[in-house]
Amino acid sequence: MANPSLTPEIRKRLSDEIVFLRDTWTQLSSLFATSDETIKLLNATAPWFFVTVRRVFMREVVLGISRLTDSASSFGNPNLTIRVLLDDPAIDAIPDLRLQLTAAVEGAVTAAASVRAHRNKYIAHLDHATAMGTPATPLPDLLRTEIAGAISALESAYNLHGVRVLNSAMHFSIFGPSDADDLVEVLRGSDRWREWLELQDVE
């Protein structure tokens, strides 16, 4: 089955996926990469719940990046990925754009290499040797900088198409404070946090 040509509806659906991915990463970062005090707060109020939240959010980010950088089709069925931008016939009317956009798309795929390895070996499929801690090739470290870089590369490829073809750019972040920030403020006023602080003073 051939990939459909890029339509406004397909492009909008692609942007929705990138916005959701960016927002999930922002919420995750707000909770777990802000300060040692925030981590203490989470551990003091609902430790197992927030361990689960971190695992689920991280899996969603890994799956989101991997889906968007997948091949154009799987088993003959088209995938909605960043590569769909290359199916727009309008890019051939703009000098050098196909070459530049192809490089941007492949750059996003390259930036996602470590993330995709985790999706393939640990999340979408549970590789036996990886699960048992005896892989011939260990999974690469999943670095925050690489995750952020992969998301930014997807956004850049999307906006390269938007600016050159449609004279418009997309802002992928959701404006305003995140719900994660609001949650942290609520927890700071909780009885459980106050009790935890009092216990530290006693010790």
Side-chain angles (χ1 to χ4, degrees):
M1 183 184 298
N3 285 354
S5 295
L6 185 67
T7 64
E9 293 77 18
I10 291 173
R11 193 171 187 276
K12 173 65 166 58
R13 188 66 185 85
L14 178 63
S15 74
D16 289 345
E17 285 293 316
I18 301 175
V19 167
F20 180 75
L21 173 61
R22 167 61 69 182
D23 182 58
T24 304
W25 178 243
T26 298
Q27 301 281 359
L28 178 64
S29 299
S30 294
L31 277 176
F32 301 103
T34 50
S35 69
D36 290 341
E37 188 222 3
T38 300
I39 297 301
K40 288 178 182 176
L41 174 64
L42 302 182
N43 287 335
T45 51
W48 183 244
F49 171 78
F50 286 113
V51 166
T52 303
V53 166
R54 186 180 187 281
R55 182 174 65 251
V56 170
F57 272 35
M58 182 61 79
R59 289 185 176 190
E60 187 61 37
V61 167
V62 168
L63 286 171
I65 292 171
S66 299
R67 285 195 301 260
L68 290 172
T69 55
D70 270 339
S71 59
S73 62
S74 300
F75 304 105
N77 297 311
N79 292 324
L80 181 59
T81 77
I82 196 67
R83 298 176 196 274
V84 76
L85 298 173
L86 297 170
D87 295 329
D88 185 0
I91 65 178
D92 290 318
I94 301 172
D96 299 326
L97 181 54
R98 179 167 292 279
L99 185 64
Q100 294 169 8
L101 189 57
T102 299
V105 167
E106 293 307 319
V109 174
T110 299
S114 294
V115 176
R116 292 176 60 79
H118 280 261
R119 190 275 301 265
N120 295 340
K121 292 286 189 178
Y122 187 70
I123 295 179
H125 310 281
L126 189 55
D127 176 70
H128 187 277
T130 298
M132 299 308 296
T134 58
T137 304
L139 284 175
D141 291 335
L142 204 52
L143 303 177
R144 294 185 53 78
T145 52
E146 291 185 352
I147 294 173
I151 296 172
S152 294
L154 287 164
E155 294 169 344
S156 295
Y158 186 93
N159 274 334
L160 174 61
H161 176 274
V163 169
R164 296 291 303 280
V165 176
L166 302 171
N167 197 30
S168 68
M170 176 81 181
H171 187 82
F172 295 96
S173 297
I174 296 175
F175 292 102
S178 72
D179 288 345
D181 293 332
D182 293 339
L183 174 61
V184 168
E185 287 308 309
V186 170
L187 292 177
R188 281 201 179 99
S190 69
D191 291 339
R192 184 165 292 191
W193 178 236
R194 282 193 292 271
E195 290 167 3
W196 188 87
L197 289 173
E198 288 169 4
L199 235 108
Q200 306 314 301
D201 289 340
V202 170
E203 293 176 357

